[in-house]
Amino acid sequence: MAHWHDGPAALRVGTDVTRIPLEVAASYRARTRGLLGRDGIEGAMLLTPAASVHTFRMRFAIDVAYLDRNLRVLDVVTMAPGRIGLPRPRARHVLEAAAGAMAGWGLAAGTTLEVDTA
């Protein structure tokens, strides 16, 4: 995708046809807010562009997947509130979800994701 916009979308993991609810945060304002002030998330949030995240002032632990420009997963980590994630040099996007969700989706390093914004 050449140009991202804030708003709802759907995420597919690998060849699975299941569509996961997705919020795209492409503007500076939306990326800065992220999941702050929330008690949870249904599905996931895609921060773009982004190479790292933090969990200061977060109310819950999250899974974080660092993605390259082709939406291929570089790494997946779980972060507790109050942490700083190290930037990943090749990361262009960051996917956030409630802790444990990504394992349930089968998301791991090397998995390619697909985003449907239609």
Side-chain angles (χ1 to χ4, degrees):
M1 173 172 267
H3 191 69
W4 296 90
H5 298 281
D6 294 345
L11 178 71
R12 286 193 308 211
V13 177
T15 57
D16 191 343
V17 296
T18 305
R19 294 167 51 96
I20 299 161
L22 180 68
E23 294 177 46
V24 176
S27 68
Y28 177 78
R29 182 177 183 173
R31 288 192 317 270
T32 301
R33 170 144 185 169
L35 296 175
L36 296 177
R38 297 186 189 193
D39 292 321
I41 182 172
E42 181 183 333
M45 177 175 278
L46 179 69
L47 306 173
T48 181
S52 67
V53 295
H54 69 82
T55 57
F56 291 113
R57 298 187 338 226
M58 296 263 313
R59 297 179 181 169
F60 59 101
I62 60 171
D63 285 344
V64 177
Y66 297 90
L67 313 174
D68 69 11
R69 67 180 71 246
N70 298 314
L71 300 179
R72 189 172 62 85
V73 178
L74 301 172
D75 193 14
V76 179
V77 298
T78 300
M79 294 177 63
R83 304 285 190 259
I84 296 177
L86 295 174
R88 302 306 199 271
R90 293 183 304 136
R92 295 295 177 266
H93 317 279
V94 174
L95 186 70
E96 298 179 335
M102 291 184 185
W105 300 333
L107 200 144
T111 305
T112 300
L113 306 179
E114 198 170 304
V115 174
D116 180 8
T117 57

